[in-house]
Amino acid sequence: GKMPLPDGTNAEKEDPTPPLGWTSAEDLKDVKLYGFKASPPVAKIAVILKYYGVNFDFVKLSPGSGVTAKSSYKKIPVLTASGRTVNDSYVISKHILQACAPGSFDPAVEEEITFGLQPAIEAECFETGDELKTYAMAFGLVSWIVPSFIVGLISPSASIRKKHPDLKPALEYGKNFRAKIGTQPFAGGSEPACADLSYYGTIYTFIFAKCPTAVAHLKDADLEDWYKRMQEKVPGDF
């Protein structure tokens, strides 16, 4: 693995050192989730915490600022719990799931959602200024309409595609996921699993904002009924 960041916290995709040692939900104390509500990876972590009944405080944090002035990691989300700081939604979800539902974390699924579905749906939803405006207005982020500010928060399509040259259409990720569900209520069977929680959390902000591209995504991938079932499992906003 790579070295920790200068402040001792983990780099992206790297486990925190020393190991967190979280083996049950009881190990997660004084949980704080840092980020802002319009961020898909922040919503994903909130969904996982809510589903497993982990109480947490939501602390508003914009990308680029860091949890403290000395923080090396400037992206969101960041989770603090039991005196430790964990960066990066992929790593955070891994460690929450290892504590709350041991053995349920599926690296292949989580990678496809974090590095496939999420940039794909962002790129497609923000192809036009209209949808970006719809999204920004839904979260009261009027300042996003100023393009120079948008760049630091959710990259417009061209830069997302440049960063992820092998990106497949979001519908392809959707159909793969739909195949995992099959005839069951959830990909996890009778109850949501890692895949359900991450997929739902990732697309949640776009559906909340009524982005036409995301609404069409659920319809075209035949995920509308599944989405309603997930809303019942993880009710309300966070």
Side-chain angles (χ1 to χ4, degrees):
K2 294 194 205 100
M3 294 296 288
L5 297 172
D7 67 356
T9 64
N10 65 293
E12 280 183 358
K13 289 186 85 172
E14 299 294 324
D15 287 322
T17 50
L20 296 170
W22 296 346
T23 55
S24 73
E26 285 71 59
D27 292 331
L28 301 169
K29 294 184 172 65
D30 306 317
V31 182
K32 288 189 173 70
L33 174 61
Y34 294 83
F36 67 104
K37 294 190 177 187
S39 159
V42 171
K44 176 177 81 175
I45 299 305
V47 162
I48 295 171
L49 289 168
K50 276 190 75 169
Y51 179 72
Y52 288 110
V54 176
N55 289 324
F56 66 97
D57 289 326
F58 185 78
V59 184
K60 200 173 170 188
L61 180 72
S62 294
S65 44
V67 172
T68 72
K70 293 190 174 77
S71 296
S72 304
Y73 189 76
K74 303 293 187 193
K75 296 182 184 178
I76 54 173
V78 174
L79 183 93
T80 60
S82 307
R84 297 294 299 275
T85 298
V86 190
N87 304 321
D88 181 28
S89 74
Y90 176 86
V91 179
I92 296 169
S93 48
K94 174 181 175 178
H95 289 282
I96 298 171
L97 285 159
Q98 282 179 348
C100 298
S104 70
F105 181 75
D106 185 332
V109 164
E110 194 58 34
E111 283 193 28
E112 179 157 297
I113 291 171
T114 307
F115 308 111
L117 172 72
Q118 188 195 310
I121 201 91
E122 282 180 7
E124 290 170 26
C125 283
F126 302 142
E127 209 86 67
T128 69
D130 286 354
E131 259 192 269
L132 186 50
K133 196 172 174 180
T134 300
Y135 193 86
M137 298 302 270
F139 291 98
L141 296 163
V142 184
S143 51
W144 275 27
I145 312 302
V146 182
S148 61
F149 194 54
I150 291 166
V151 178
L153 296 177
I154 288 193
S155 338
S157 302
S159 59
I160 295 173
R161 294 188 191 284
K162 197 175 164 188
K163 193 180 164 194
H164 302 271
D166 303 328
L167 213 51
K168 296 185 284 215
L171 184 57
E172 216 172 301
Y173 298 108
K175 286 184 167 167
N176 283 352
F177 178 63
R178 180 65 186 83
K180 285 190 177 77
I181 298 168
T183 56
Q184 315 171 99
F186 303 101
S190 58
E191 286 293 323
C194 164
D196 297 285
L197 296 164
S198 288
Y199 205 104
Y200 176 74
T202 298
I203 203 158
Y204 173 87
T205 58
F206 299 97
I207 300 297
F208 174 84
K210 299 185 174 66
C211 285
T213 301
V215 173
H217 172 83
L218 287 185
K219 187 172 188 287
D220 297 343
D222 187 28
L223 290 170
E224 290 173 316
D225 291 344
W226 165 84
Y227 194 86
K228 288 191 186 98
R229 289 192 288 272
M230 286 301 297
Q231 282 179 307
E232 286 163 17
K233 291 286 178 187
V234 191
D237 190 13
F238 58 86

